[in-house]
């Protein structure tokens, strides 16, 4: 699998799927989640509502992933995953790794060959970006997947630098 880094806006990525750092409600929010819902349009929210009405009545659990249409985005699908909130007193790194491996599992089920990830949990969820980058890169590299390209799309130069260090 090719692993690439891009400094930019994940909503502008021309890939088979983009990963949304969603909140458990799947109803949109701030950061990456809000940007994806705004640019993708109402089709994404409509499918998220249907998921909440069926399989995820209590919301999408942390570390799991589910796909919807990408609406007006260049990608074909959005893979929603809920990252953990960082805790200094509890090791939640397995949940953060699971966000990546579960998103790739969903990508495989869709037949997606190119997947773009944001820096999951590094915004309002407070995960230190260097640690999140290390966990994300390790999880993606160790995943059993048919995805040919994983692209980490980083919004800030600081996040890009952290992921560049993690990639090595």
């Amino acid at each position: 699998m090719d692993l690439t880094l891009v400094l930019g806006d994940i909503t502008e990525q021309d890939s088979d799927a983009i990963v949304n750092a969603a909140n458990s409600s799947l109803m949109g929010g701030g950061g990456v989640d809000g940007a994806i819902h705004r640019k993708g349009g109402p089709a994404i929210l409509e499918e998220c509502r249907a998921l909440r009405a069926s399989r995820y009545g209590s919301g999408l659990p942390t570390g799991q992933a589910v796909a919807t249409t990408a609406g007006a985005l260049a990608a074909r699908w959005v893979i929603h995953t809920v990252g953990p909130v960082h805790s200094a007193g509890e090791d939640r790194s397995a949940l953060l790794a699971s966000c990546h491996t579960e998103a790739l599992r969903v990508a495989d089920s869709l037949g997606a060959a190119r997947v773009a990830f944001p820096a999951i949990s590094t915004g309002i969820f407070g995960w230190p970006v260097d640690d999140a980058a290390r966990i994300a890169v390790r999880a993606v590299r160790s995943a059993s997947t048919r995805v040919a390209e994983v692209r980490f799309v980083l919004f800030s130069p600081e996040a890009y630098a952290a992921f560049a260090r993690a990639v090595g």
Side-chain angles (χ1 to χ4, degrees), residues 67-88:
T68 64
T69 180
L73 297 169
R76 186 167 176 193
W77 299 286
V78 173
I79 300 172
H80 306 267
T81 189
V82 180
V85 174
H86 183 260
S87 170

Side-chain angles (χ1 to χ4, degrees), residues 62-63 83-84 92-101 120-121 127 131-133 135-136 139:
T62 301
R92 298 179 179 167
S93 57
L95 286 170
L96 184 55
S98 179
C99 290
H100 296 84
T101 57
I120 298 169
S121 287
W127 208 287
D131 193 43
I135 293 165

Side-chain angles (χ1 to χ4, degrees), residues 1 3 5 93-101 104 117-122 127-143 150-154 159 162-163 166-167:
M1 154 199 343
L3 185 64
L5 305 179
S93 57
L95 286 170
L96 184 55
S98 179
C99 290
H100 296 84
T101 57
L104 291 172
F117 281 87
I120 298 169
S121 287
T122 63
W127 208 287
V129 70
D130 280 302
D131 193 43
R134 179 187 56 77
I135 293 165
V137 169
R138 182 178 298 153
V140 165
R141 282 183 169 157
S142 67
V150 168
R151 188 179 316 152
F152 284 104
V153 183
L154 297 316
F163 274 77
V167 168

Side-chain angles (χ1 to χ4, degrees), residues 18 23 38 47 50-51 63 69-70 84 91 95 106 112 120 131 141 146 150 153 156 158 167:
I18 62 172
N23 62 53
R38 280 189 303 278
E47 285 193 28
L51 286 167
T69 180
D91 182 8
L95 286 170
V106 170
I120 298 169
D131 193 43
R141 282 183 169 157
R146 292 182 309 279
V150 168
V153 183
S156 72
E158 296 78 21
V167 168

